[in-house]
Structure formats: structure tokens, C-alpha cells
Amino acid sequence: MNSLTLIRPDDWHLHLRDGDALKAVLPDTARRFGRAIVMPNLKPPVRTVEDAAAYRERILAALPAGLNFEPLMTLYLTDVTPPEEIAKVKDSGFVKALKLYPAGATTNSDAGVTDVNKVLPTLAAMAELGIPLLVHGEVTDPAIDVFDREAVFIDRVMKPLLDKLPDLKVVFEHITTQQAAHFVWCAGERVGATITAHHLLMNRNALFTGGIRPHHYCLPVLKREVHREALLEVAISGNPRFFLGTDSAPHGKSTKEAACGCAGMYTAHAGIELYAEAFDAAGALDRLEGFASRFGPLFYGLPANADTITLTRETVEVPASLPYAGGDTLVPLRAGETVGWKLAD
Ligand SMILES: NC(=O)N[C@@H](CC(=O)O)C(=O)O
Ligand SMILES: [Zn+2]
Ligand SMILES: [Zn+2]
């Protein structure tokens, strides 16, 4: 198969940042995806429906003419997000979920939740109104090995939370381990998961190929090959509770190539093409449309997009860097290398 036409996909986990960075990265996503769940970890975070309305307007204003793209907004859950905000979320129509960052777990998570038990009334309001909770699922306990933080999160936080709130819908974001894949597989209808292309394509060796590779550093960090294989298995399985979320997370080159480099990979420039590579390598191109275009809308209770995109099997060169913001550039995944699929114009 050298050409593949799909219902236009959506990205269920995306960082668009703000200001000039937003202007620089948004076209890459909007050319490929119909909608995206936009992460709220700005500085300061998107905490209220009012914040989200303003951010949404900035996104729409940054959208190049002729591109149809719908940002689906999220709120950043803090220890003090009041239950009353959830009714406003429901009424807004454009805020689709709240995001749980364990405080200190990842980029801009300082204002995150210190203990989920502090926000139970707010989570209960979400369960009641059918608003999903999106979870960065890693414990922050420094005693836990960085490669084990996701697996430990399942036992310490995820399972007790789901037991306490049997009606809460949860998306386990950017899963990276066989434990998370297995957990979600067995968790029942109200639990979904997003999977990035980079976790389907690379294992942790990619962090050290020929030297330390800061552009392959993200959170949760890449894992062993057995985990990559487990993620691929569920991604191509046709199970509708696993769907596409790129977690494209731009950081300027100078903040990645640094003594203490930021976590996050920029993948939006090939946001669907990289998944085509992963599915193709697994002989499962026929499963890509479900994963990329049908299952996310199904979980969120939205219709699939009405139009299509076409990908062709062609070698595309990726620039060494892309324009970004603040005088800095952006180093995309595969910079100076190639991607094996091309988005038709
Ligand atoms: N994935 C990352 O490594 N970084 C994300 C935050 C996140 O999704 O955890 C970012 O905002 O840069
Ligand atoms: Zn995260
Ligand atoms: Zn993310």
C-alpha cells in the first residue's frame, strides 16, 4: 500500500504553548489534525474556564487562513480548583477535560496536585457531569527509579482513585509501559489512554545513540524495548480505548541542548506521518484510521471528522531546525533525517 486515505485524525494530547511559539507550531498541527486536546500547562497555567476562553481565542487568532482546526480546551487541576468550576466547564462546551499533573512531575507542573485526596470533591463533580480527567501518570517520589514512576503510579494513585470514583472518566495520558497498557486494557469502558508516536517508534537506547541525545528526552522517559512492543500491540489491536495523542511538546533548542535540558519532543511537523511509520512497520496500516480518527472522538462523545487526509509512502527530509520564538529555533524529531510518509497537499 503506497497511499492511504483516512478520516481526518485528531490529536488528543498536544502542547501549543503561547505567543510567538504558538504561532510557530500551530500550522503543523492544523494542517494534519481536525481537532486537538490542548494542554493547559502554560506559565501561569490555564486554571479557569475564563482562562481557557482567552487561550482559545489566542489559538484561533494564530490560525493561518484557510485551515479549519478546533482547539478542545482543558483546565489545569490544582489543589484548590473548586467543584463549582466544573459546572462552568460543562456549560462552556469548549472545555472538554481537566488535566491532573502530580506537582513536580513534568514541565510546568509546580502548580499541580500535591495529593489527589485534596481534590476529591472536584473530581466527584467531574464524575457527575461526565467531564474526563486526563492524567500525567507518574509518581514524583524521588526514591522511585525514573523508569518505574509510571508503573508505581498505577498502584499508588490510579487504582485507588478509580475505586473511590467509579463514575469518573479517565484518560491515562502518554502511556509508556506494558504495565499501563495492561492496566488500561483491563480497566473497563471509562478508562482510555493516549499513545505518542515516539513511544511507538523508539526505546530508551535512543537516548544514548552515539552520545547523549537531548532531543529524545521527554516525560515519561522512553522505556525498554518490551514496553515499546506492548504499546504497539495495544495501539494496533483495534481496542477503541487506545488512541492518538502526539504529546508534541516544543522547547527552544537552547533549552533542550543544555546542562539541564527540558523534557519534551517536537513531533507535530510529522504528527500523523510518524504513526503511519509505526503502524506500517507492524503491518497494521489498516488499523491506523481507528486509532487516529475514530476512537478518540468515540471516547470523548464527539463525531469523527467529516473530511479525509491522504498519506503517500515517500521519503521526506526533515529540516535541521524550524523557526520558533524568542530568538530560538526548534529541533524537530528526526532533524536532518527523514520520515517515510508524506501528507498529500
Ligand atoms: N512530555 C514532555 O516531556 N513534556 C511536556 C509535559 C508533559 O506532557 O508531561 C511539556 O509540556 O513540555
Ligand atoms: Zn505529561
Ligand atoms: Zn504532554
Side-chain angles (χ1 to χ4, degrees):
M1 206 193 305
N2 291 317
S3 165
L4 183 63
T5 296
L6 306 171
I7 294 173
R8 183 178 294 280
D10 303 299
D11 185 349
W12 300 96
H13 183 130
L14 176 68
H15 300 272
L16 284 174
R17 312 305 190 206
D18 213 342
D20 290 341
L22 165 64
K23 290 192 185 77
V25 301
L26 179 61
D28 280 343
T29 291
R31 268 198 280 275
R32 294 167 172 79
F33 297 98
R35 295 164 290 195
I37 283 278
V38 180
M39 290 295 138
N41 61 333
L42 303 181
K43 281 185 237 171
V46 179
R47 276 180 270 215
T48 63
V49 172
E50 215 181 327
D51 293 343
Y55 185 29
R56 180 171 174 274
E57 288 307 319
R58 297 197 295 280
I59 295 167
L60 293 174
L63 197 60
L67 289 178
N68 280 319
F69 171 75
E70 191 186 353
L72 307 175
M73 309 309 292
T74 61
L75 302 190
Y76 188 117
L77 186 67
T78 73
D79 281 352
V80 295
T81 304
E84 296 75 46
E85 194 69 21
I86 306 309
K88 293 183 195 163
V89 165
K90 183 79 183 175
D91 289 344
S92 77
F94 58 82
V95 178
K96 296 297 183 192
L98 277 82
K99 179 67 189 270
L100 167 63
Y101 292 102
T106 187
T107 304
N108 297 344
S109 61
D110 307 350
V113 171
T114 57
D115 178 351
V116 286
N117 293 310
K118 290 189 179 164
V119 291
L120 284 180
T122 301
L123 296 176
M126 292 170 62
E128 197 183 317
L129 295 177
I131 305 295
L133 179 70
L134 316 183
V135 181
H136 180 110
E138 289 192 288
V139 294
T140 53
D141 181 347
I144 302 297
D145 189 281
V146 67
F147 292 99
D148 297 333
R149 287 181 188 173
E150 183 176 280
V152 171
F153 185 89
I154 296 169
D155 291 322
R156 284 196 191 170
V157 184
M158 192 65 109
K159 281 183 188 162
L161 181 64
L162 291 171
D163 286 345
K164 271 179 208 148
L165 294 161
D167 296 323
L168 183 65
K169 273 183 101 160
V170 170
V171 183
F172 201 154
E173 297 291 332
H174 50 43
I175 60 168
T176 64
T177 58
Q178 58 185 2
Q179 289 90 339
H182 180 254
F183 173 76
V184 172
W185 188 278
C186 299
E189 255 180 50
R190 66 180 169 131
V191 182
T194 54
I195 306 179
T196 77
H198 45 280
H199 288 99
L200 292 175
L201 289 165
M202 291 185 280
N203 65 36
R204 66 191 194 178
N205 287 348
L207 285 162
F208 306 109
T209 314
I212 193 153
R213 301 285 294 263
H215 298 292
H216 292 164
Y217 175 57
C218 66
L219 288 170
V221 71
L222 293 170
K223 303 295 193 300
R224 283 180 182 278
E225 178 64 5
V226 286
H227 298 291
R228 189 191 71 83
E229 286 166 0
L231 297 175
L232 196 56
E233 194 180 325
V234 294
I236 67 172
S237 69
N239 182 330
R241 289 185 297 104
F242 296 90
F243 41 87
L244 185 155
T246 63
D247 194 20
S248 179
H251 291 275
K253 179 175 173 172
S254 67
T255 66
K256 291 286 293 174
E257 299 179 7
C260 186
C262 292
M265 293 188 210
Y266 186 70
T267 57
H269 62 294
I272 185 66
E273 298 91 322
L274 290 163
Y275 285 99
E277 266 193 18
F279 277 61
D280 192 14
L285 276 177
D286 60 321
R287 296 292 171 91
L288 184 59
E289 187 181 64
F291 178 82
S293 313
R294 290 183 196 277
F295 301 159
L298 196 63
F299 189 88
Y300 278 87
L302 297 168
N305 290 313
D307 58 339
T308 60
I309 61 162
T310 297
L311 300 171
T312 53
R313 192 193 298 278
E314 271 177 73
T315 302
V316 180
E317 286 179 15
V318 178
S321 70
L322 301 171
Y324 194 49
D328 211 343
T329 59
L330 182 61
V331 179
L333 188 66
R334 300 273 176 86
E337 300 172 22
T338 60
V339 174
W341 286 83
K342 184 172 192 273
L343 180 75
D345 300 324

